[in-house]
Amino acid sequence: MNPWQNAQQTLKQVGEKANIDPSLIETLLKHDRKIEVGLPLIMDNGEKKTFKAYRLQHNNWRGPYKGGLRYHPQVSEDEVKALSAWMTIKNAVIDVPFGGGKGGISVDPKTLSKPELERLTRAFTRELAEHIGPDKDVPAPDVNTNGEIMKWIADEYGDKAVVTGKAIADGGSEGRTEATGYGGVYALMAVLEAKKISSVGLTAAIQGFGNVGTYAAELMIKNGIKVVALSDSRNTIYSAGGFTDIMALVEAKAKTGSLTNAVKELGIDCEVKSVDDVLTVKVDILAPAALEMVVTAENAGLIDAKIILELANGPLTPEADDILADRDIVVIPDVLANSGGVAVSYYEWYQNRHDEKWTKERALEKLEGQMRASVTEVLSIAGESKLTLREAAYVLAMRRIAAAKPVCCEDCNCTNCPDCQNCPDCNCC
Ligand code: NAD
């Protein structure tokens, strides 16, 4: 099943199970606009190449389309379709006034020189210019794109509020670096509190030691959780007593190239296990923070955790999700758990538009409040309607999207256009 088929299945299943208005599901199964272009690039050696690029605008009832741009050889129409639909849901779950979009270029950026990457980005921006803008569609970094690429887009377009994820000096927000990892832990803490479970002394395993995994680990430890297993793309490191200084590990990993070298450099006594062992160690909380579809029908039965905090996008396959639900393992879904990043992206957009500069404390305090508010609503829907947290998060998002359906006639507030030909209320059509 490709990602878009996967996304469609989830929307249909949740729609049926939670009795959502079928016309809303129909809307969410379609995209508002597909922009597909071939980007010509003169390489440094004079050779001419063309790269396929996409921007999918899924739904903008709640506000401008919002979502990242990824540069990767596997970027395809179906991948971008799924990712843009998930952004519509995620932005509604965390209640930022954005719709959903996503885009990308099918390219391996590691094969391009920096000037080639900049020319390609600027060419993409020129193609997108009429479709993007602070009030239309606001791209952001994703896989293999970063603040520098966002700066080129803002410069080519001529307005910094057209993108988020910029460096602080270029108009980025304080707190964005920590936002996704910290946001996930704020959500986890809210779930634990609702279940009257103290975080102190719980154990956790985190797959992925990048931006999201490291900040999640840091905040878990501050909340008394013992982070006993960590992994990167090569190995899992395990310490029954828990790792303590995450930022020292980050520095040592940057210096030595891997987590196993980092623990050696710091003289930390721990076991080195294979890369996938992080998923199956016995812990209270498992947080996949690396790749998609790492828990599948094959290994879902081996998971030995009570809570899964989905920090990565789509780390469970739908089959794994069913198996874990049958085993009463609580899954805090990606559209909730990793929405801290887009929440602070909204704060960046807001600050750019209002010429404000927030402190990190202000941004993170607001983020914590926003994550907790969404968790409370998701838990309440899950409890009332006997749904999993993923299903409840989708229901919350769908209710919020439905409530934002544009009104097509100010006189009667009807929302039937463009389909209605004969408005039953005031004959406006
Ligand atoms: P990153 O590139 O900073 O880190 C990814 C980490 O995963 C790296 O340390 C890499 O070594 C590790 N990794 C790769 N393959 C692995 C494997 N097989 N086993 C274990 N680790 C492996 O990326 P990130 O920004 O931390 O993002 C992580 C995930 O979170 C991605 O799925 C991303 O889409 C998702 N996400 C990120 C953000 C954000 O704000 N950064 C927001 C929402 C979702």
Side-chain angles (χ1 to χ4, degrees):
M1 193 182 281
N2 77 31
W4 176 228
Q5 289 166 328
N6 185 346
Q8 286 174 299
Q9 183 178 311
T10 310
L11 288 168
K12 284 184 203 162
Q13 274 178 359
V14 176
E16 266 173 42
K17 195 166 170 187
N19 252 332
I20 302 289
D21 176 358
S23 72
L24 177 66
I25 303 296
E26 284 276 297
T27 301
L28 296 176
L29 290 171
K30 289 184 283 201
H31 288 72
D32 287 351
R33 186 173 295 104
K34 176 179 89 174
I35 301 141
E36 181 179 356
V37 289
L39 297 174
L41 176 69
I42 311 282
M43 308 301 285
D44 292 345
N45 65 6
E47 197 188 330
K48 194 172 166 192
K49 286 192 181 172
T50 304
F51 297 91
K52 203 155 200 182
Y54 302 90
R55 183 76 184 168
L56 264 291
Q57 297 178 328
H58 178 249
N59 181 284
N60 67 350
W61 290 0
R62 288 178 46 84
Y65 305 101
K66 179 95 190 80
L69 290 177
R70 89 173 30 178
Y71 289 3
H72 194 276
Q74 273 163 21
V75 164
S76 67
E77 182 177 332
D78 272 354
E79 183 186 62
V80 182
K81 271 184 162 173
L83 292 166
S84 59
W86 284 326
M87 285 308 298
T88 303
I89 299 293
K90 189 185 298 191
N91 291 337
V93 171
I94 192 60
D95 207 9
V96 291
F98 288 134
K102 202 86 175 191
I105 307 180
S106 179
V107 61
D108 180 358
K110 292 184 198 91
T111 63
L112 300 186
S113 68
K114 201 161 163 184
E116 287 169 343
L117 194 62
E118 180 171 351
R119 288 200 295 278
L120 187 66
T121 300
R122 287 183 183 273
F124 194 20
T125 309
R126 287 191 294 275
E127 289 289 345
L128 289 180
E130 66 171 300
H131 302 289
I132 60 174
D135 291 311
K136 273 192 196 168
D137 184 350
V138 186
D142 194 72
V143 176
N144 292 332
T145 52
N146 54 27
E148 188 169 34
I149 290 177
M150 295 307 113
K151 187 181 174 181
W152 295 333
I153 296 175
D155 180 62
E156 188 68 32
Y157 182 85
D159 185 342
K160 67 182 173 189
V162 72
V163 283
T164 60
K166 302 176 289 287
I168 304 242
D170 300 321
S173 179
E174 292 283 357
R176 177 62 186 89
T177 313
E178 297 86 350
T180 306
Y182 275 20
V185 179
Y186 295 145
L188 170 70
M189 294 301 294
V191 170
L192 291 174
E193 281 167 30
K195 292 183 180 296
K196 303 204 178 348
I197 299 170
S198 163
S199 60
V200 177
L202 296 182
T203 54
I206 302 179
Q207 182 191 44
F209 200 66
N211 168 266
V212 178
T214 53
Y215 283 104
E218 194 201 28
L219 194 56
M220 281 186 190
I221 293 168
K222 281 191 189 151
N223 282 292
I225 297 171
K226 270 201 284 181
V227 175
V228 296
L230 291 166
S231 73
D232 61 8
S233 57
R234 300 182 196 186
N235 287 105
T236 296
I237 54 171
Y238 180 85
S239 162
F243 296 96
T244 48
D245 191 344
I246 295 299
M247 291 307 146
L249 269 174
V250 170
E251 265 179 46
K253 189 192 165 197
K255 191 168 144 202
T256 61
S258 72
L259 267 177
T260 28
N261 289 339
V263 284
K264 266 188 225 147
E265 165 100 0
L266 296 171
I268 296 173
D269 186 22
C270 64
E271 282 174 58
V272 175
K273 294 172 176 268
S274 78
V275 64
D276 289 334
D277 284 348
V278 71
L279 296 172
T280 52
V281 289
K282 183 174 172 54
V283 280
D284 297 301
I285 302 145
L286 169 64
L291 308 169
E292 292 101 65
M293 299 203 280
V294 291
V295 184
T296 63
E298 280 72 51
N299 63 1
L302 303 174
I303 302 293
D304 203 354
K306 299 185 185 88
I307 296 177
I308 297 192
L309 180 66
E310 286 192 329
L311 294 173
N313 285 316
L316 312 187
T317 63
E319 297 78 22
D321 215 15
D322 291 342
I323 295 169
L324 296 171
D326 286 345
R327 294 182 57 208
D328 285 333
I329 294 174
V330 174
V331 176
I332 306 178
D334 50 3
V335 288
L336 175 62
N338 73 27
S339 61
V342 76
V344 178
S345 294
Y346 164 61
Y347 307 161
E348 175 179 339
W349 178 84
Y350 182 93
Q351 289 169 75
N352 291 166
R353 309 213 72 198
H354 294 84
D355 211 12
E356 290 182 12
K357 269 265 162 240
W358 297 2
T359 60
K360 186 183 284 193
E361 290 67 33
R362 179 170 174 193
L364 292 177
E365 197 181 308
K366 191 167 164 58
L367 173 65
E368 180 168 9
Q370 205 157 352
M371 296 297 307
R372 283 177 172 274
S374 291
V375 168
T376 303
E377 297 224 32
V378 168
L379 287 172
S380 146
I381 293 171
E384 274 163 25
S385 310
K386 304 264 171 296
L387 298 173
T388 65
L389 298 188
R390 189 186 315 282
E391 290 162 346
Y394 271 70
V395 170
L396 174 64
M398 287 173 183
R399 284 183 188 165
R400 287 179 171 165
I401 295 164
K405 185 170 178 176
V407 169
C408 53
C409 168
E410 296 292 338
D411 289 337
C412 74
N413 274 353
C414 76
T415 54
N416 298 330
C417 293
D419 306 324
C420 73
Q421 296 300 320
N422 187 9
C423 178
D425 296 319
C426 74
N427 290 328
C428 61
C429 309

